[in-house]
């Protein structure tokens, strides 16, 4: 694939002089200037699916796609749709905990092996934001649609609007209201976002991320999950990464992009996840102890990594025909 970039000369005395004479030098860069990925040496196996938290049925649904020779893209979408449809999952799709006003607002993004990306944020009334994100990627020239525009687009694409606030999630919200913190104070109570990455039998990687976001958040708040490079990122030349936890920390360090770039430079998925968590620790030396972030990463060889700020982050892995949940390594040791 040819990658086109423009190299602009720096604004300088010389540059200004050239501009005044109409001699701006805008030269296409060569592919040689784009750093080549370091091909990982360690051996893993494919196909592989990995998802944040205890998402056995999600990885199973994704694995089913891969076992039939399906694409990583189809696999991650199939996987993400499982918790989205589950009314008992309080942090994703139907039944997700609402914002401060009692409104369920959903964020999601998806990326394929060609570098295409789609996302929706602040979407209401549609159970499967991941599939709307995929439609954005495949049916439009945009990457992200938000709020009412995203809903209108989803309806045009044939999605059905429904009430996502279940009896149970409404009850949680009503209980929280009785004891609510002052308006505007951040609430970090619920953030079990699903991030899912897959490597298919053809060696291609895709990723998805979907969430109802932080429980009882301010109306209008959007987290990391729909932000390409924050909640999830894939570069099929290198690998993929995804995040769960407090989106504000992930966004401020562009965690998933950071992990993929660290892998490009030669770090293993595990080393890259650890480095990204340490970046948060450095930026939030006190707060990171209170609020959790977890990262997953995979590379082209089928090697994976998982790391969280604290004990408790877990992931589900499908590899070598087995689908199991594992605890992740973590930064805080006590
Ligand atoms: N990681 C999900 C969120 O903060 O919205």
């Amino acid at each position: 694939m040819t990658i086109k970039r423009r190299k602009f000369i720096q604004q300088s005395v010389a540059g200004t002089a050239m501009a005044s004479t109409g001699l701006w030098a805008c030269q296409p860069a060569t592919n040689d200037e784009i750093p080549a990925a370091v091909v990982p040496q360690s051996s893993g196996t494919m196909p592989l699916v990995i998802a944040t938290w205890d998402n056995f049925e999600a990885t199973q649904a994704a694995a089913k796609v891969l076992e039939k020779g399906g694409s990583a893209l189809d696999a991650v979408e199939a996987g993400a749709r499982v918790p989205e449809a589950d009314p008992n999952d309080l942090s994703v799709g139907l039944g997700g905990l609402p914002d401060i006003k009692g409104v369920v607002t959903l964020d999601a993004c998806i990326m394929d092996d060609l570098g295409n990306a789609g996302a929706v944020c602040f979407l209401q009334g549609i159970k499967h934001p991941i599939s709307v994100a995929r439609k954005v990627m495949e049916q439009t020239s945009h990457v992200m649609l938000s709020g009412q525009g995203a809903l209108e687009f989803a309806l045009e694409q044939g999605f059905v609007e429904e009430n996502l606030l279940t009896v149970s999630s409404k009850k949680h919200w009503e209980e929280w209201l009785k004891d609510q913190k002052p308006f505007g104070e951040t609430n970090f109570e619920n953030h079990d976002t699903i991030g899912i990455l897959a490597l298919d039998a053809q060696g291609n990687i895709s990723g998805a991320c979907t969430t109802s976001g932080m429980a009882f958040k301010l109306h209008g708040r959007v987290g990391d999950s729909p932000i390409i490079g924050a909640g999830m990122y894939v570069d099929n030349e290198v690998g993929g990464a995804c995040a769960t936890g407090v989106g504000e920390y992930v966004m401020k360090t562009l965690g998933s992009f950071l992990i993929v770039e660290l892998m490009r430079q030669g770090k293993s998925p595990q080393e890259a996840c650890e480095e990204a968590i340490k970046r948060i620790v450095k930026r939030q030396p006190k707060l990171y102890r209170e609020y959790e972030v977890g990262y997953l990463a995979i590379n082209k060889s089928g090697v994976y990594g998982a790391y969280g700020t604290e004990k408790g982050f877990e992931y589900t892995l499908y590899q070598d025909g087995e689908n199991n949940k594992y605890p992740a390594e973590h930064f805080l040791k006590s």
Side-chain angles (χ1 to χ4, degrees), residues 104-109 118-126 129 132-133 135-137 140 142-156 219-223 226-227:
V104 181
T105 75
L106 304 178
D107 301 332
C109 76
V120 289
C121 66
F122 199 54
L123 175 64
Q124 293 155 51
I126 303 289
V132 184
K135 289 282 186 200
V136 173
M137 177 172 83
T140 81
H142 306 311
V143 169
M144 182 184 282
L145 295 178
S146 69
Q148 184 63 23
L151 174 60
E152 285 168 15
F153 170 76
L155 296 176
E156 278 165 22
H219 189 63
R221 181 262 187 191
V222 170
I227 310 295

Side-chain angles (χ1 to χ4, degrees), residues 107 190-193 209 211-214 217 221-226 231 243-248 250-251:
D107 301 332
N190 183 70
H191 47 72
D192 293 352
T193 300
C209 190
T211 190
S212 52
M214 195 177 284
K217 61 200 173 188
R221 181 262 187 191
V222 170
D224 62 312
S225 303
T244 184
V246 177
E248 279 69 7
V250 176
M251 292 159 94

Side-chain angles (χ1 to χ4, degrees), residues 295-315:
Y295 286 121
L296 300 178
I298 62 173
N299 68 16
K300 289 287 279 182
S301 303
V303 177
Y304 65 89
Y307 201 64
T309 47
E310 64 186 45
K311 191 175 175 184
F313 175 47
E314 53 190 19
Y315 58 96

Side-chain angles (χ1 to χ4, degrees), residues 9-250:
I9 57 171
Q10 298 280 322
Q11 184 75 30
S12 63
V13 175
T16 309
M18 289 173 83
S20 64
T21 55
L23 293 173
W24 274 104
C26 300
Q27 298 162 349
T30 66
N31 278 347
D32 297 344
E33 293 174 27
I34 299 167
V38 177
V39 179
Q41 297 302 312
S42 47
S43 60
T45 56
M46 58 183 84
L48 169 160
V49 182
I50 193 166
T52 53
W53 306 110
D54 184 358
N55 268 305
F56 183 86
E57 286 171 16
T59 48
Q60 196 171 42
K64 223 168 154 180
V65 173
L66 297 182
E67 278 164 3
K68 286 184 194 152
S71 69
L73 179 65
D74 287 341
V76 294
E77 183 188 10
R81 284 174 65 94
V82 173
E84 284 183 342
D86 181 356
N88 298 316
D89 190 318
L90 297 177
S91 52
V92 179
L94 175 67
L97 290 174
D99 65 12
I100 196 168
K101 289 186 171 177
V103 180
V104 181
T105 75
L106 304 178
D107 301 332
C109 76
I110 195 161
M111 264 189 106
D112 70 11
D113 55 287
L114 299 173
N116 297 310
V120 289
C121 66
F122 199 54
L123 175 64
Q124 293 155 51
I126 303 289
K127 180 164 67 184
H128 288 303
I130 199 65
S131 296
V132 184
R134 183 167 176 178
K135 289 282 186 200
V136 173
M137 177 172 83
E138 292 179 341
Q139 304 295 330
T140 81
S141 55
H142 306 311
V143 169
M144 182 184 282
L145 295 178
S146 69
Q148 184 63 23
L151 174 60
E152 285 168 15
F153 170 76
L155 296 176
E156 278 165 22
Q157 293 291 322
F159 290 83
V160 176
E161 194 170 2
E162 60 188 294
N163 176 23
L164 302 180
L165 188 67
T166 58
V167 173
S168 165
S169 55
K170 187 167 182 228
K171 204 166 154 219
H172 280 284
W173 171 63
E174 285 167 348
E175 274 163 19
W176 177 80
L177 273 182
K178 284 184 209 155
D179 185 31
Q180 73 166 293
K181 300 177 171 102
F183 184 78
E185 189 172 309
T186 311
N187 181 291
F188 289 145
E189 282 175 34
N190 183 70
H191 47 72
D192 293 352
T193 300
I194 178 174
I196 182 166
L197 305 165
L199 172 68
D200 63 29
Q202 291 72 44
N204 291 320
I205 296 173
S206 292
C209 190
T210 182
T211 190
S212 52
M214 195 177 284
F216 321 128
K217 61 200 173 188
L218 292 181
H219 189 63
R221 181 262 187 191
V222 170
D224 62 312
S225 303
I227 310 295
I228 299 297
M232 190 275 300
Y233 192 71
V234 166
D235 183 330
N236 197 41
E237 194 184 343
V238 179
C242 62
T244 184
V246 177
E248 279 69 7
Y249 298 164
V250 176

